[in-house]
PDB file of all heavy atoms in Angstrom:
ATOM      1  N   ARG A 111       0.264 -13.505  10.367  1.00  0.00           N
ATOM      2  CA  ARG A 111      -1.105 -13.537  10.907  1.00  0.00           C
ATOM      3  C   ARG A 111      -2.080 -13.771   9.760  1.00  0.00           C
ATOM      4  O   ARG A 111      -2.081 -13.033   8.772  1.00  0.00           O
ATOM      5  CB  ARG A 111      -1.416 -12.231  11.631  1.00  0.00           C
ATOM      6  CG  ARG A 111      -0.416 -11.943  12.760  1.00  0.00           C
ATOM      7  CD  ARG A 111      -0.790 -10.731  13.574  1.00  0.00           C
ATOM      8  NE  ARG A 111      -1.903 -11.013  14.465  1.00  0.00           N
ATOM      9  CZ  ARG A 111      -1.768 -11.596  15.658  1.00  0.00           C
ATOM     10  NH1 ARG A 111      -0.570 -11.946  16.072  1.00  0.00           N
ATOM     11  NH2 ARG A 111      -2.808 -11.826  16.405  1.00  0.00           N
ATOM     12  N   ARG A 160      -4.941  -6.867  -5.839  1.00  0.00           N
ATOM     13  CA  ARG A 160      -5.282  -5.497  -5.483  1.00  0.00           C
ATOM     14  C   ARG A 160      -6.088  -5.435  -4.180  1.00  0.00           C
ATOM     15  O   ARG A 160      -5.961  -4.487  -3.402  1.00  0.00           O
ATOM     16  CB  ARG A 160      -6.078  -4.893  -6.653  1.00  0.00           C
ATOM     17  CG  ARG A 160      -6.898  -3.659  -6.378  1.00  0.00           C
ATOM     18  CD  ARG A 160      -6.051  -2.415  -6.226  1.00  0.00           C
ATOM     19  NE  ARG A 160      -6.930  -1.262  -6.012  1.00  0.00           N
ATOM     20  CZ  ARG A 160      -7.473  -0.938  -4.856  1.00  0.00           C
ATOM     21  NH1 ARG A 160      -7.248  -1.668  -3.774  1.00  0.00           N
ATOM     22  NH2 ARG A 160      -8.256   0.123  -4.748  1.00  0.00           N
ATOM     23  N   PHE A 161      -6.928  -6.411  -3.930  1.00  0.00           N
ATOM     24  CA  PHE A 161      -7.821  -6.329  -2.777  1.00  0.00           C
ATOM     25  C   PHE A 161      -7.446  -7.301  -1.657  1.00  0.00           C
ATOM     26  O   PHE A 161      -8.294  -7.797  -0.935  1.00  0.00           O
ATOM     27  CB  PHE A 161      -9.281  -6.487  -3.210  1.00  0.00           C
ATOM     28  CG  PHE A 161      -9.767  -5.250  -3.905  1.00  0.00           C
ATOM     29  CD1 PHE A 161      -9.868  -5.200  -5.288  1.00  0.00           C
ATOM     30  CD2 PHE A 161     -10.058  -4.108  -3.186  1.00  0.00           C
ATOM     31  CE1 PHE A 161     -10.281  -4.039  -5.928  1.00  0.00           C
ATOM     32  CE2 PHE A 161     -10.474  -2.943  -3.811  1.00  0.00           C
ATOM     33  CZ  PHE A 161     -10.582  -2.904  -5.187  1.00  0.00           C
ATOM     34  N   TYR A 165       0.799  -6.514   5.297  1.00  0.00           N
ATOM     35  CA  TYR A 165       1.584  -5.547   6.068  1.00  0.00           C
ATOM     36  C   TYR A 165       2.831  -6.229   6.625  1.00  0.00           C
ATOM     37  O   TYR A 165       2.768  -7.382   7.059  1.00  0.00           O
ATOM     38  CB  TYR A 165       0.785  -4.998   7.247  1.00  0.00           C
ATOM     39  CG  TYR A 165      -0.591  -4.481   6.892  1.00  0.00           C
ATOM     40  CD1 TYR A 165      -1.683  -5.348   6.846  1.00  0.00           C
ATOM     41  CD2 TYR A 165      -0.801  -3.133   6.613  1.00  0.00           C
ATOM     42  CE1 TYR A 165      -2.956  -4.882   6.531  1.00  0.00           C
ATOM     43  CE2 TYR A 165      -2.070  -2.653   6.297  1.00  0.00           C
ATOM     44  CZ  TYR A 165      -3.144  -3.535   6.250  1.00  0.00           C
ATOM     45  OH  TYR A 165      -4.393  -3.077   5.941  1.00  0.00           O
ATOM     46  N   ASN A 167       5.140  -5.619   9.724  1.00  0.00           N
ATOM     47  CA  ASN A 167       5.062  -4.838  10.966  1.00  0.00           C
ATOM     48  C   ASN A 167       3.931  -3.819  10.820  1.00  0.00           C
ATOM     49  O   ASN A 167       2.788  -4.227  10.689  1.00  0.00           O
ATOM     50  CB  ASN A 167       6.413  -4.225  11.310  1.00  0.00           C
ATOM     51  CG  ASN A 167       7.485  -5.315  11.433  1.00  0.00           C
ATOM     52  OD1 ASN A 167       7.200  -6.376  11.985  1.00  0.00           O
ATOM     53  ND2 ASN A 167       8.661  -5.081  10.902  1.00  0.00           N
ATOM     54  N   ASP A 168       4.231  -2.527  10.770  1.00  0.00           N
ATOM     55  CA  ASP A 168       3.149  -1.539  10.687  1.00  0.00           C
ATOM     56  C   ASP A 168       3.010  -0.913   9.305  1.00  0.00           C
ATOM     57  O   ASP A 168       2.294   0.074   9.148  1.00  0.00           O
ATOM     58  CB  ASP A 168       3.385  -0.421  11.711  1.00  0.00           C
ATOM     59  CG  ASP A 168       3.283  -0.934  13.134  1.00  0.00           C
ATOM     60  OD1 ASP A 168       2.499  -1.885  13.370  1.00  0.00           O
ATOM     61  OD2 ASP A 168       3.986  -0.407  14.008  1.00  0.00           O
ATOM     62  N   ASP A 170       2.156  -1.026   5.111  1.00  0.00           N
ATOM     63  CA  ASP A 170       1.521  -1.678   3.966  1.00  0.00           C
ATOM     64  C   ASP A 170       2.631  -2.014   2.965  1.00  0.00           C
ATOM     65  O   ASP A 170       3.410  -1.132   2.584  1.00  0.00           O
ATOM     66  CB  ASP A 170       0.517  -0.687   3.355  1.00  0.00           C
ATOM     67  CG  ASP A 170      -0.331  -1.314   2.250  1.00  0.00           C
ATOM     68  OD1 ASP A 170       0.180  -2.179   1.520  1.00  0.00           O
ATOM     69  OD2 ASP A 170      -1.498  -0.907   2.111  1.00  0.00           O
ATOM     70  N   PRO A 191      -7.900  -9.416   4.116  1.00  0.00           N
ATOM     71  CA  PRO A 191      -8.638  -9.166   2.878  1.00  0.00           C
ATOM     72  C   PRO A 191      -9.232  -7.765   2.950  1.00  0.00           C
ATOM     73  O   PRO A 191      -9.750  -7.378   3.997  1.00  0.00           O
ATOM     74  CB  PRO A 191      -9.735 -10.231   2.869  1.00  0.00           C
ATOM     75  CG  PRO A 191      -9.854 -10.698   4.282  1.00  0.00           C
ATOM     76  CD  PRO A 191      -8.556 -10.409   4.978  1.00  0.00           C
ATOM     77  N   VAL A 193     -11.623  -4.719   2.969  1.00  0.00           N
ATOM     78  CA  VAL A 193     -13.066  -4.587   3.168  1.00  0.00           C
ATOM     79  C   VAL A 193     -13.539  -3.557   2.159  1.00  0.00           C
ATOM     80  O   VAL A 193     -13.177  -2.384   2.231  1.00  0.00           O
ATOM     81  CB  VAL A 193     -13.402  -4.170   4.610  1.00  0.00           C
ATOM     82  CG1 VAL A 193     -14.912  -4.004   4.763  1.00  0.00           C
ATOM     83  CG2 VAL A 193     -12.889  -5.211   5.597  1.00  0.00           C
ATOM     84  N   ALA A 194     -14.281  -4.026   1.177  1.00  0.00           N
ATOM     85  CA  ALA A 194     -14.669  -3.176   0.054  1.00  0.00           C
ATOM     86  C   ALA A 194     -15.972  -3.682  -0.529  1.00  0.00           C
ATOM     87  O   ALA A 194     -16.415  -4.788  -0.251  1.00  0.00           O
ATOM     88  CB  ALA A 194     -13.578  -3.186  -1.016  1.00  0.00           C
ATOM     89  N   GLY A 195     -16.589  -2.841  -1.338  1.00  0.00           N
ATOM     90  CA  GLY A 195     -17.833  -3.221  -1.993  1.00  0.00           C
ATOM     91  C   GLY A 195     -18.493  -1.977  -2.522  1.00  0.00           C
ATOM     92  O   GLY A 195     -17.817  -0.985  -2.801  1.00  0.00           O
ATOM     93  N   GLY A 196     -19.800  -2.026  -2.626  1.00  0.00           N
ATOM     94  CA  GLY A 196     -20.492  -0.844  -3.103  1.00  0.00           C
ATOM     95  C   GLY A 196     -21.560  -1.181  -4.110  1.00  0.00           C
ATOM     96  O   GLY A 196     -21.679  -2.306  -4.573  1.00  0.00           O
ATOM     97  N   ALA A 197     -22.324  -0.153  -4.438  1.00  0.00           N
ATOM     98  CA  ALA A 197     -23.515  -0.361  -5.251  1.00  0.00           C
ATOM     99  C   ALA A 197     -23.193  -0.688  -6.701  1.00  0.00           C
ATOM    100  O   ALA A 197     -24.007  -1.270  -7.416  1.00  0.00           O
ATOM    101  CB  ALA A 197     -24.401   0.886  -5.183  1.00  0.00           C
ATOM    102  N   PHE A 198     -22.015  -0.264  -7.165  1.00  0.00           N
ATOM    103  CA  PHE A 198     -21.708  -0.347  -8.590  1.00  0.00           C
ATOM    104  C   PHE A 198     -21.270  -1.765  -8.948  1.00  0.00           C
ATOM    105  O   PHE A 198     -20.183  -2.189  -8.597  1.00  0.00           O
ATOM    106  CB  PHE A 198     -20.591   0.644  -8.907  1.00  0.00           C
ATOM    107  CG  PHE A 198     -20.553   1.075 -10.345  1.00  0.00           C
ATOM    108  CD1 PHE A 198     -21.631   0.906 -11.188  1.00  0.00           C
ATOM    109  CD2 PHE A 198     -19.420   1.695 -10.837  1.00  0.00           C
ATOM    110  CE1 PHE A 198     -21.586   1.333 -12.503  1.00  0.00           C
ATOM    111  CE2 PHE A 198     -19.352   2.133 -12.147  1.00  0.00           C
ATOM    112  CZ  PHE A 198     -20.438   1.950 -12.989  1.00  0.00           C
ATOM    113  N   GLY A 199     -22.118  -2.519  -9.614  1.00  0.00           N
ATOM    114  CA  GLY A 199     -21.774  -3.885  -9.998  1.00  0.00           C
ATOM    115  C   GLY A 199     -20.713  -3.895 -11.079  1.00  0.00           C
ATOM    116  O   GLY A 199     -20.647  -3.007 -11.910  1.00  0.00           O
ATOM    117  N   ALA A 201     -20.413  -5.926 -13.555  1.00  0.00           N
ATOM    118  CA  ALA A 201     -20.967  -6.176 -14.888  1.00  0.00           C
ATOM    119  C   ALA A 201     -21.396  -4.856 -15.506  1.00  0.00           C
ATOM    120  O   ALA A 201     -21.098  -4.557 -16.664  1.00  0.00           O
ATOM    121  CB  ALA A 201     -22.146  -7.130 -14.792  1.00  0.00           C
ATOM    122  N   ALA A 223     -11.680 -10.276  -6.802  1.00  0.00           N
ATOM    123  CA  ALA A 223     -12.943 -10.730  -6.222  1.00  0.00           C
ATOM    124  C   ALA A 223     -13.122 -12.216  -6.463  1.00  0.00           C
ATOM    125  O   ALA A 223     -13.513 -12.958  -5.570  1.00  0.00           O
ATOM    126  CB  ALA A 223     -14.096  -9.943  -6.828  1.00  0.00           C
ATOM    127  N   ALA A 231     -15.841 -22.022  -0.387  1.00  0.00           N
ATOM    128  CA  ALA A 231     -16.329 -23.295   0.143  1.00  0.00           C
ATOM    129  C   ALA A 231     -15.387 -23.849   1.198  1.00  0.00           C
ATOM    130  O   ALA A 231     -15.795 -24.583   2.090  1.00  0.00           O
ATOM    131  CB  ALA A 231     -16.487 -24.297  -0.995  1.00  0.00           C
TER     132      ALA A 231
ATOM    133  N   GLU B 187     -20.682   6.829  -0.407  1.00  0.00           N
ATOM    134  CA  GLU B 187     -20.977   5.692   0.447  1.00  0.00           C
ATOM    135  C   GLU B 187     -20.168   5.812   1.753  1.00  0.00           C
ATOM    136  O   GLU B 187     -19.015   6.219   1.740  1.00  0.00           O
ATOM    137  CB  GLU B 187     -20.624   4.373  -0.265  1.00  0.00           C
ATOM    138  CG  GLU B 187     -21.531   4.101  -1.457  1.00  0.00           C
ATOM    139  CD  GLU B 187     -21.438   2.667  -1.989  1.00  0.00           C
ATOM    140  OE1 GLU B 187     -20.727   1.847  -1.390  1.00  0.00           O
ATOM    141  OE2 GLU B 187     -22.096   2.396  -3.008  1.00  0.00           O
ATOM    142  N   THR B 215     -20.418   5.048  -5.447  1.00  0.00           N
ATOM    143  CA  THR B 215     -20.785   3.690  -5.844  1.00  0.00           C
ATOM    144  C   THR B 215     -19.792   2.630  -5.367  1.00  0.00           C
ATOM    145  O   THR B 215     -19.908   1.465  -5.739  1.00  0.00           O
ATOM    146  CB  THR B 215     -20.882   3.593  -7.379  1.00  0.00           C
ATOM    147  OG1 THR B 215     -19.655   4.073  -7.940  1.00  0.00           O
ATOM    148  CG2 THR B 215     -22.047   4.408  -7.910  1.00  0.00           C
ATOM    149  N   PHE B 216     -18.821   3.030  -4.573  1.00  0.00           N
ATOM    150  CA  PHE B 216     -17.817   2.051  -4.133  1.00  0.00           C
ATOM    151  C   PHE B 216     -17.291   2.479  -2.763  1.00  0.00           C
ATOM    152  O   PHE B 216     -17.210   3.663  -2.471  1.00  0.00           O
ATOM    153  CB  PHE B 216     -16.654   1.988  -5.137  1.00  0.00           C
ATOM    154  CG  PHE B 216     -15.761   0.781  -4.953  1.00  0.00           C
ATOM    155  CD1 PHE B 216     -16.222  -0.496  -5.265  1.00  0.00           C
ATOM    156  CD2 PHE B 216     -14.468   0.918  -4.474  1.00  0.00           C
ATOM    157  CE1 PHE B 216     -15.413  -1.610  -5.085  1.00  0.00           C
ATOM    158  CE2 PHE B 216     -13.646  -0.200  -4.297  1.00  0.00           C
ATOM    159  CZ  PHE B 216     -14.123  -1.463  -4.612  1.00  0.00           C
ATOM    160  N   TYR B 217     -16.967   1.480  -1.938  1.00  0.00           N
ATOM    161  CA  TYR B 217     -16.294   1.825  -0.681  1.00  0.00           C
ATOM    162  C   TYR B 217     -15.132   0.876  -0.474  1.00  0.00           C
ATOM    163  O   TYR B 217     -15.138  -0.261  -0.964  1.00  0.00           O
ATOM    164  CB  TYR B 217     -17.257   1.761   0.514  1.00  0.00           C
ATOM    165  CG  TYR B 217     -17.511   0.366   1.038  1.00  0.00           C
ATOM    166  CD1 TYR B 217     -16.785  -0.139   2.113  1.00  0.00           C
ATOM    167  CD2 TYR B 217     -18.475  -0.455   0.454  1.00  0.00           C
ATOM    168  CE1 TYR B 217     -17.006  -1.426   2.599  1.00  0.00           C
ATOM    169  CE2 TYR B 217     -18.700  -1.729   0.931  1.00  0.00           C
ATOM    170  CZ  TYR B 217     -17.964  -2.216   2.000  1.00  0.00           C
ATOM    171  OH  TYR B 217     -18.181  -3.487   2.468  1.00  0.00           O
ATOM    172  N   GLU B 218     -14.152   1.375   0.218  1.00  0.00           N
ATOM    173  CA  GLU B 218     -12.997   0.547   0.560  1.00  0.00           C
ATOM    174  C   GLU B 218     -12.370   1.131   1.816  1.00  0.00           C
ATOM    175  O   GLU B 218     -12.118   2.336   1.893  1.00  0.00           O
ATOM    176  CB  GLU B 218     -11.985   0.569  -0.594  1.00  0.00           C
ATOM    177  CG  GLU B 218     -10.776  -0.304  -0.311  1.00  0.00           C
ATOM    178  CD  GLU B 218      -9.777  -0.320  -1.463  1.00  0.00           C
ATOM    179  OE1 GLU B 218      -9.906   0.504  -2.388  1.00  0.00           O
ATOM    180  OE2 GLU B 218      -8.850  -1.145  -1.409  1.00  0.00           O
ATOM    181  N   PHE B 219     -12.113   0.283   2.814  1.00  0.00           N
ATOM    182  CA  PHE B 219     -11.431   0.764   4.014  1.00  0.00           C
ATOM    183  C   PHE B 219     -10.024   1.232   3.629  1.00  0.00           C
ATOM    184  O   PHE B 219      -9.362   0.615   2.792  1.00  0.00           O
ATOM    185  CB  PHE B 219     -11.295  -0.359   5.050  1.00  0.00           C
ATOM    186  CG  PHE B 219     -12.573  -0.715   5.782  1.00  0.00           C
ATOM    187  CD1 PHE B 219     -13.789  -0.130   5.462  1.00  0.00           C
ATOM    188  CD2 PHE B 219     -12.540  -1.646   6.808  1.00  0.00           C
ATOM    189  CE1 PHE B 219     -14.957  -0.465   6.145  1.00  0.00           C
ATOM    190  CE2 PHE B 219     -13.698  -1.990   7.501  1.00  0.00           C
ATOM    191  CZ  PHE B 219     -14.902  -1.405   7.165  1.00  0.00           C
ATOM    192  N   SER B 221      -6.249   1.217   4.041  1.00  0.00           N
ATOM    193  CA  SER B 221      -5.509   0.023   4.468  1.00  0.00           C
ATOM    194  C   SER B 221      -4.838   0.218   5.831  1.00  0.00           C
ATOM    195  O   SER B 221      -4.773  -0.715   6.637  1.00  0.00           O
ATOM    196  CB  SER B 221      -4.492  -0.417   3.407  1.00  0.00           C
ATOM    197  OG  SER B 221      -3.373   0.442   3.390  1.00  0.00           O
ATOM    198  N   MET B 222      -4.343   1.426   6.115  1.00  0.00           N
ATOM    199  CA  MET B 222      -3.675   1.628   7.402  1.00  0.00           C
ATOM    200  C   MET B 222      -4.685   1.700   8.552  1.00  0.00           C
ATOM    201  O   MET B 222      -4.436   1.177   9.647  1.00  0.00           O
ATOM    202  CB  MET B 222      -2.810   2.891   7.368  1.00  0.00           C
ATOM    203  CG  MET B 222      -1.631   2.816   6.415  1.00  0.00           C
ATOM    204  SD  MET B 222      -0.681   1.255   6.485  1.00  0.00           S
ATOM    205  CE  MET B 222      -0.020   1.344   8.145  1.00  0.00           C
ATOM    206  N   HIS B 224      -7.534   0.214   8.518  1.00  0.00           N
ATOM    207  CA  HIS B 224      -7.991  -1.178   8.622  1.00  0.00           C
ATOM    208  C   HIS B 224      -7.064  -1.963   9.568  1.00  0.00           C
ATOM    209  O   HIS B 224      -7.522  -2.616  10.511  1.00  0.00           O
ATOM    210  CB  HIS B 224      -7.974  -1.778   7.207  1.00  0.00           C
ATOM    211  CG  HIS B 224      -8.555  -3.153   7.088  1.00  0.00           C
ATOM    212  ND1 HIS B 224      -8.628  -3.815   5.891  1.00  0.00           N
ATOM    213  CD2 HIS B 224      -9.078  -4.001   8.000  1.00  0.00           C
ATOM    214  CE1 HIS B 224      -9.177  -5.006   6.080  1.00  0.00           C
ATOM    215  NE2 HIS B 224      -9.455  -5.144   7.345  1.00  0.00           N
ATOM    216  N   ARG B 229      -6.142  -4.600  14.665  1.00  0.00           N
ATOM    217  CA  ARG B 229      -5.212  -4.879  15.769  1.00  0.00           C
ATOM    218  C   ARG B 229      -5.843  -4.531  17.110  1.00  0.00           C
ATOM    219  O   ARG B 229      -5.707  -5.253  18.084  1.00  0.00           O
ATOM    220  CB  ARG B 229      -3.950  -4.033  15.604  1.00  0.00           C
ATOM    221  CG  ARG B 229      -3.012  -4.601  14.603  1.00  0.00           C
ATOM    222  CD  ARG B 229      -1.592  -4.549  15.138  1.00  0.00           C
ATOM    223  NE  ARG B 229      -0.705  -5.153  14.175  1.00  0.00           N
ATOM    224  CZ  ARG B 229       0.288  -4.510  13.588  1.00  0.00           C
ATOM    225  NH1 ARG B 229       0.522  -3.250  13.898  1.00  0.00           N
ATOM    226  NH2 ARG B 229       1.029  -5.131  12.713  1.00  0.00           N
ATOM    227  N   ASP B 232      -8.225  -7.105  18.091  1.00  0.00           N
ATOM    228  CA  ASP B 232      -7.483  -8.272  18.578  1.00  0.00           C
ATOM    229  C   ASP B 232      -7.050  -8.072  20.023  1.00  0.00           C
ATOM    230  O   ASP B 232      -7.227  -8.951  20.867  1.00  0.00           O
ATOM    231  CB  ASP B 232      -6.238  -8.470  17.697  1.00  0.00           C
ATOM    232  CG  ASP B 232      -6.293  -9.787  16.941  1.00  0.00           C
ATOM    233  OD1 ASP B 232      -7.378 -10.392  16.877  1.00  0.00           O
ATOM    234  OD2 ASP B 232      -5.243 -10.199  16.405  1.00  0.00           O
ATOM    235  N   SER B 253     -24.846  -5.823  -3.468  1.00  0.00           N
ATOM    236  CA  SER B 253     -24.600  -5.886  -4.903  1.00  0.00           C
ATOM    237  C   SER B 253     -23.697  -7.085  -5.191  1.00  0.00           C
ATOM    238  O   SER B 253     -23.140  -7.699  -4.275  1.00  0.00           O
ATOM    239  CB  SER B 253     -23.899  -4.612  -5.362  1.00  0.00           C
ATOM    240  OG  SER B 253     -22.604  -4.548  -4.781  1.00  0.00           O
ATOM    241  N   ARG B 254     -23.533  -7.399  -6.456  1.00  0.00           N
ATOM    242  CA  ARG B 254     -22.591  -8.474  -6.811  1.00  0.00           C
ATOM    243  C   ARG B 254     -21.201  -8.136  -6.294  1.00  0.00           C
ATOM    244  O   ARG B 254     -20.446  -9.012  -5.880  1.00  0.00           O
ATOM    245  CB  ARG B 254     -22.558  -8.663  -8.333  1.00  0.00           C
ATOM    246  CG  ARG B 254     -23.813  -9.337  -8.854  1.00  0.00           C
ATOM    247  CD  ARG B 254     -23.788  -9.435 -10.371  1.00  0.00           C
ATOM    248  NE  ARG B 254     -22.594 -10.097 -10.861  1.00  0.00           N
ATOM    249  CZ  ARG B 254     -22.210 -10.083 -12.137  1.00  0.00           C
ATOM    250  NH1 ARG B 254     -22.925  -9.423 -13.029  1.00  0.00           N
ATOM    251  NH2 ARG B 254     -21.128 -10.713 -12.507  1.00  0.00           N
ATOM    252  N   THR B 255     -20.876  -6.838  -6.322  1.00  0.00           N
ATOM    253  CA  THR B 255     -19.574  -6.406  -5.811  1.00  0.00           C
ATOM    254  C   THR B 255     -19.458  -6.731  -4.328  1.00  0.00           C
ATOM    255  O   THR B 255     -18.441  -7.267  -3.867  1.00  0.00           O
ATOM    256  CB  THR B 255     -19.427  -4.886  -6.006  1.00  0.00           C
ATOM    257  OG1 THR B 255     -19.843  -4.564  -7.317  1.00  0.00           O
ATOM    258  CG2 THR B 255     -17.996  -4.457  -5.787  1.00  0.00           C
ATOM    259  N   ASP B 256     -20.507  -6.394  -3.586  1.00  0.00           N
ATOM    260  CA  ASP B 256     -20.495  -6.654  -2.138  1.00  0.00           C
ATOM    261  C   ASP B 256     -20.286  -8.142  -1.867  1.00  0.00           C
ATOM    262  O   ASP B 256     -19.534  -8.524  -0.966  1.00  0.00           O
ATOM    263  CB  ASP B 256     -21.820  -6.228  -1.502  1.00  0.00           C
ATOM    264  CG  ASP B 256     -22.027  -4.721  -1.558  1.00  0.00           C
ATOM    265  OD1 ASP B 256     -21.033  -3.982  -1.537  1.00  0.00           O
ATOM    266  OD2 ASP B 256     -23.199  -4.303  -1.615  1.00  0.00           O
ATOM    267  N   SER B 258     -18.912 -10.393  -3.855  1.00  0.00           N
ATOM    268  CA  SER B 258     -17.575 -10.825  -4.273  1.00  0.00           C
ATOM    269  C   SER B 258     -16.524 -10.519  -3.225  1.00  0.00           C
ATOM    270  O   SER B 258     -15.603 -11.305  -3.010  1.00  0.00           O
ATOM    271  CB  SER B 258     -17.169 -10.118  -5.565  1.00  0.00           C
ATOM    272  OG  SER B 258     -18.036 -10.452  -6.597  1.00  0.00           O
ATOM    273  N   PHE B 259     -16.652  -9.382  -2.578  1.00  0.00           N
ATOM    274  CA  PHE B 259     -15.605  -8.945  -1.663  1.00  0.00           C
ATOM    275  C   PHE B 259     -15.833  -9.378  -0.223  1.00  0.00           C
ATOM    276  O   PHE B 259     -14.960  -9.176   0.615  1.00  0.00           O
ATOM    277  CB  PHE B 259     -15.465  -7.424  -1.710  1.00  0.00           C
ATOM    278  CG  PHE B 259     -14.720  -6.942  -2.911  1.00  0.00           C
ATOM    279  CD1 PHE B 259     -15.341  -6.161  -3.857  1.00  0.00           C
ATOM    280  CD2 PHE B 259     -13.390  -7.282  -3.082  1.00  0.00           C
ATOM    281  CE1 PHE B 259     -14.653  -5.720  -4.974  1.00  0.00           C
ATOM    282  CE2 PHE B 259     -12.688  -6.846  -4.198  1.00  0.00           C
ATOM    283  CZ  PHE B 259     -13.330  -6.060  -5.145  1.00  0.00           C
ATOM    284  N   PRO B 263     -16.650 -14.119   7.011  1.00  0.00           N
ATOM    285  CA  PRO B 263     -17.825 -15.007   7.021  1.00  0.00           C
ATOM    286  C   PRO B 263     -18.616 -14.985   8.320  1.00  0.00           C
ATOM    287  O   PRO B 263     -19.779 -15.375   8.346  1.00  0.00           O
ATOM    288  CB  PRO B 263     -17.221 -16.387   6.765  1.00  0.00           C
ATOM    289  CG  PRO B 263     -15.753 -16.253   7.056  1.00  0.00           C
ATOM    290  CD  PRO B 263     -15.393 -14.830   6.789  1.00  0.00           C
ATOM    291  N   ASP B 287     -19.503 -17.824   1.386  1.00  0.00           N
ATOM    292  CA  ASP B 287     -19.317 -18.653   0.205  1.00  0.00           C
ATOM    293  C   ASP B 287     -20.153 -18.128  -0.970  1.00  0.00           C
ATOM    294  O   ASP B 287     -20.722 -18.888  -1.734  1.00  0.00           O
ATOM    295  CB  ASP B 287     -19.718 -20.104   0.555  1.00  0.00           C
ATOM    296  CG  ASP B 287     -19.351 -21.081  -0.543  1.00  0.00           C
ATOM    297  OD1 ASP B 287     -18.576 -20.708  -1.438  1.00  0.00           O
ATOM    298  OD2 ASP B 287     -19.869 -22.219  -0.512  1.00  0.00           O
TER     299      ASP B 287
END
Side-chain angles (χ1 to χ4, degrees):
Chain A
R111 303 186 75 83
R160 162 74 178 81
F161 286 102
Y165 309 86
N167 303 320
D168 294 329
D170 187 326
V193 178
F198 204 18
Chain B
E187 293 194 4
T215 54
F216 195 70
Y217 80 96
E218 181 179 11
F219 285 4
S221 75
M222 294 315 295
H224 187 179
R229 281 224 178 119
D232 244 15
S253 66
R254 287 177 55 193
T255 314
D256 294 330
S258 298
F259 282 116
D287 189 14

